């Protein structure tokens, strides 16, 4: 098929590259000229495992193209995907200005019947909104091309997005016609050779499914963090509690790992957007509000532990930080737990020395730009040299089995604050470390 993807952010780029990998002719369109020129040369603006190799392969095979002019590809395409950003507004709602702008542009440029697919994460009712925006523009032109807006939310995990797209656990499609379901099924069939995981529904249910899925996962994270905090108070070990409840197949182990709170581009934004949607209909989503509140508080837990250990005097203390990204295998720092922690430590007078395999450039150029009190080093062991404490905030693989004996010799004090509960407390005690976890007294 011939496909146009509007937007070359995280979702749009992964979607376009993966469709091209299956032999489709894909044109990705973006108004950012500098980004498009880099993409044409094989340079990608994000770190995502396997994406660069696949992009280069399809550029060379002439399956993948990048343009700034939508009119060049729109009317040659079988399907047009909208994959522009929907940032969180001041009131917590999803900001749909970019989606509306693209819908208007499609209505202004289209010269034939089109299937338009919402790939952006959008609130319930957006498919109908896009449909009306396109039809309004067509009416201005006094033309009557047929268009149907389809909902096809993404379920990509950052760090595993390519694998998730190529082998999806489900493909959710919301539409109103058999023709729409048919073309979407044909498009996704190569990704479901072993098992057809295509789930058809109405557009409102499809849009709601995306928000409900992320809200459920965020709820599990906040729940286990709440349990962790209670465990510390009563003297229980949340790691043992997690194993106990996770063995129940109705609960499972996924997303019940205690830590310093969730972050990223999806969970925080989507939970708040769903809360706003509920309130727009005069319903107070008490569980979702609690999920968000617990997560915000959880991001303060590590800082409080560190401050307490040093008797409320962090001035001049050197704190090594392993990890900056909100999760491993990405350079994304949006809503990362490292952000409030670093800013808190610096405010208290601490000296932060940070290392992350991928996110240091993002931290330096954006999140901590101009921030005094933080420096960056080239490897994990350089970060801990003469440190008064180490804080693990992102569970990259290279942090899983470090040489603790070497670390003890290198550090000023043998102290570890583990924001992801990665290490063996007994092993560290034998070596002589003071070791602090989430949810363990």
């Amino acid at each position: 098929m011939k496909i146009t993807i509007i937007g070359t952010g995280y979702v749009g780029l992964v979607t376009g590259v993966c469709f091209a990998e299956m032999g489709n002719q894909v044109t990705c369109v973006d108004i950012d000229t500098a980004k498009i020129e880099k993409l044409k040369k094989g340079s990608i603006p994000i770190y995502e495992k396997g994406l660069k190799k696949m992009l280069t392969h399809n550029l060379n095979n002439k399956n993948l193209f990048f343009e700034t002019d939508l009119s060049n590809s729109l009317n040659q395409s079988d399907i047009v995907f909208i994959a522009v950003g929907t940032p969180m507004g001041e009131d917590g709602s999803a900001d749909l200005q970019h989606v509306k702008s693209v819908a208007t542009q499609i209505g202004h440029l289209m010269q034939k019947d089109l299937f338009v697919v919402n790939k952006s994460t959008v609130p319930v009712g957006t498919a109908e909104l896009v449909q009306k925006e396109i039809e309004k523009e067509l009416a201005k032109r006094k033309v009557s091309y047929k268009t149907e807006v389809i909902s096809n939310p993404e379920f990509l995990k950052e760090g595993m997005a390519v694998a998730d797209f190529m082998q999806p656990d489900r493909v959710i499609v919301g539409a109103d016609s058999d023709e729409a379901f048919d073309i979407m099924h044909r498009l996704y069939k190569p990704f479901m050779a072993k098992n057809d995981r295509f789930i058809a529904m109405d557009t409102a249910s499809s849009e709601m499914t995306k928000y409900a899925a992320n809200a459920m996962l965020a709820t599990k994270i906040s729940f286990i963090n709440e349990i962790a905090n209670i465990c510390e108070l009563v003297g229980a070990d949340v790691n043992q509690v997690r194993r106990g409840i996770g063995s129940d197949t109705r609960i499972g182990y996924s997303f019940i790992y205690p830590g310093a709170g969730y972050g990223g581009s999806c969970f925080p934004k989507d939970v708040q957007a769903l809360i706003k949607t509920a309130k727009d209909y005069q319903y107070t989503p008490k569980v979702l509000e609690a999920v968000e509140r617990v997560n915000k508080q959880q991001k303060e837990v590590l800082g409080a532990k560190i401050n307490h250990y040093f008797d409320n005097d962090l001035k001049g203390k050197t704190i090594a930080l392993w990890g900056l990204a909100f999760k491993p295998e990405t350079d994304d720092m949006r809503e990362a737990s490292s952000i409030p922690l670093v800013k808190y430590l610096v405010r208290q007078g601490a000296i932060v020395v940070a290392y992350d395999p991928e996110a240091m450039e993002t931290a330096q150029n954006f999140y901590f730009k101009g921030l005094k009190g933080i420096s960056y080093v080239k490897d994990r062991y350089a970060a801990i040299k003469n440190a008064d404490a180490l804080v693990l905030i992102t569970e990259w693989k290279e942090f899983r089995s470090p040489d603790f004996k070497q670390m003890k010799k290198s550090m000023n004090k043998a102290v570890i604050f583990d924001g992801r509960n990665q290490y063996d407390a007994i092993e560290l005690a034998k070596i002589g470390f003071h070791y602090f976890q989430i949810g363990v007294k």
Side-chain angles (χ1 to χ4, degrees), residues 45 89 112 134 146 306 311 321 326 345 387:
K112 66 168 192 170
I134 293 173
K146 181 182 177 182
I306 297 166
D311 296 323
L321 187 66
F326 88 94
L345 293 172

Side-chain angles (χ1 to χ4, degrees), residues 3-7 27 29 31 68-84 96-120 126-127 129-150:
I3 302 167
T4 292
I5 311 284
I6 304 174
T27 301
V29 179
I31 60 173
T68 55
D69 187 354
L70 179 59
S71 62
N72 290 338
S73 63
L74 182 70
N75 293 298
Q76 299 177 30
S77 296
D78 300 300
I79 308 176
V80 178
F81 281 80
I82 299 176
V84 294
L96 298 177
Q97 62 173 318
H98 302 304
V99 173
K100 290 180 181 179
S101 176
V102 168
T104 299
Q105 195 175 9
I106 290 171
H108 179 70
L109 294 173
M110 62 187 289
Q111 300 290 338
K112 66 168 192 170
D113 296 348
L114 276 177
F115 287 106
V116 177
V117 182
N118 265 340
K119 198 69 176 172
S120 302
T126 303
L129 174 73
V130 171
Q131 185 84 39
K132 288 179 179 178
E133 289 291 326
I134 293 173
E135 290 175 354
K136 184 169 67 175
E137 198 64 26
L138 291 174
K140 289 181 183 179
R141 295 169 54 201
K142 298 181 180 180
V143 293
S144 56
Y145 299 116
K146 181 182 177 182
T147 182
E148 181 172 348
V149 179
I150 301 166

Side-chain angles (χ1 to χ4, degrees), residues 318-320 353 383-390 410-415:
T318 299
I319 308 297
V353 183
I384 64 170
K385 186 176 182 180
N386 298 322
D388 294 298
L390 165 66
S410 180
M411 297 175 69
N412 185 37
K413 293 184 178 180
V415 182

Side-chain angles (χ1 to χ4, degrees), residues 194-206:
K194 294 182 179 179
N195 184 16
D196 193 337
R197 294 172 291 279
F198 189 91
I199 304 175
M201 57 184 71
D202 61 90
T203 54
S205 297
S206 174

